[in-house]
Amino acid sequence: MSTRTSTFLLACAGLLWGTGGLTGALLQSHGGLAPIPVAAYRLLVGGLVATATLAWFGRLHPLTDPA
């Protein structure tokens, strides 16, 4: 992986990490959600972003049976 790609991914991770708490606080205060659903939504969105990023960079591989 090139330095440019690594820097881009690091910046994306920092952006998502930094806005996650703010988003959670907004979901709780304006959406009336409890902390557990907020955490679940944050995990869901993070997983989708991670999967999309892996697919974008061609690093998403199908699971294979080792046997």
Side-chain angles (χ1 to χ4, degrees), residues 40-65:
Y41 287 132
R42 287 177 64 190
L43 284 171
L44 175 67
V45 170
L48 291 174
V49 169
T51 303
T53 303
L54 287 172
W56 178 268
F57 287 105
R59 302 284 221 171
L60 189 64
H61 304 291
L63 296 175
T64 58
D65 188 14

Side-chain angles (χ1 to χ4, degrees), residues 1-14 57:
M1 191 177 305
S2 70
T3 304
R4 187 176 199 169
T5 303
S6 298
T7 304
F8 172 73
L9 292 176
L10 184 64
C12 286
F57 287 105

Side-chain angles (χ1 to χ4, degrees), residues 18-34 38 41-42:
T19 58
L22 176 63
T23 304
L26 289 173
L27 283 172
Q28 282 183 340
S29 66
H30 294 288
L33 292 175
V38 169
Y41 287 132
R42 287 177 64 190

